[in-house]
Amino acid sequence: NSVTEKEYDIKVEYMTTIPENPYFGENFNISVKVKNIGKHSATDNLLLYSDVNNDSLPDILLTNEQISLSSSDSISHIFNLS
């Protein structure tokens, strides 16, 4: 554990579903906010997976969105799912 700022470091600030408790088969959104807390600009991918057998391991890639953030910058993204 260190208080030293890393060269490259992107963190998820929050992730929510809308509606909060969707029913099976109902369309819903996942809202994600990520922030670059590193010293330099960074490019990475937001990957959203489905865990079809409830073992807490990713099974099916649902979407892959590339993001680019300057240092201290953040972005919110909404995944629309059905």
Side-chain angles (χ1 to χ4, degrees):
N1 195 7
S2 174
V3 294
T4 304
E5 187 178 24
K6 295 179 182 176
E7 297 293 316
Y8 301 94
D9 197 5
I10 295 176
K11 75 172 189 172
V12 174
E13 293 211 302
Y14 71 79
M15 184 169 71
T16 60
T17 60
I18 306 164
E20 188 174 324
N21 297 304
Y23 294 104
F24 180 78
E26 179 181 18
N27 293 341
F28 65 99
N29 296 328
I30 296 177
S31 177
V32 178
K33 182 176 181 181
V34 293
K35 184 174 183 176
N36 182 357
I37 59 173
K39 291 181 180 179
H40 304 289
S41 296
T43 298
D44 208 340
N45 292 306
L46 289 176
L47 304 174
L48 184 63
Y49 286 90
S50 176
D51 176 13
V52 296
N53 56 6
N54 295 319
D55 63 357
S56 299
L57 298 173
D59 294 312
I60 300 171
L61 178 63
L62 299 175
T63 188
N64 178 359
E65 302 288 334
Q66 187 176 60
I67 59 166
S68 295
L69 296 169
S70 299
S71 182
S72 300
D73 199 7
S74 63
I75 188 170
S76 294
H77 185 77
I78 296 178
F79 297 99
N80 300 305
L81 304 168
S82 55

